[in-house]
Amino acid sequence: VSLLTKPGCPYCAKAKALLQHHGYRYEEIVMGQGASLTSLKAISGRTTVPQVFIGGKHIGGSDDLEAYFAEQA
């Protein structure tokens, strides 16, 4: 799992908590520390964080991640 975040983002914290709750380990890519807005848009097509990828598949933001886990249940 790859997770693009930025410091102080409450939605990013929600996504991290969801991943941890479901037993997922993730690699966090922090905006401004090796990734830029340009990179975020090129990778995900979006300009908001968090952006979650599981198994190479773009899941989306924290609400999308919540829906993803709901579908898995």
Side-chain angles (χ1 to χ4, degrees):
V1 176
S2 294
L3 176 64
L4 289 102
T5 67
K6 71 177 181 181
C9 166
Y11 301 105
C12 299
K14 177 182 173 184
K16 289 186 231 181
L18 280 167
L19 288 166
Q20 290 169 352
H21 175 76
H22 289 277
Y24 282 74
R25 295 180 61 176
Y26 58 86
E27 173 186 69
E28 184 175 4
I29 302 163
V30 181
M31 300 301 297
Q33 299 176 10
S36 67
L37 184 61
T38 302
S39 298
L40 176 66
K41 189 167 183 177
I43 294 167
S44 69
R46 299 187 185 177
T47 57
T48 58
V49 289
Q51 292 302 317
V52 181
F53 294 82
I54 297 176
K57 178 183 176 193
H58 181 230
I59 304 301
S62 61
D63 290 341
D64 301 314
L65 181 61
E66 196 166 32
Y68 172 83
F69 285 131
E71 291 173 7
Q72 302 300 313

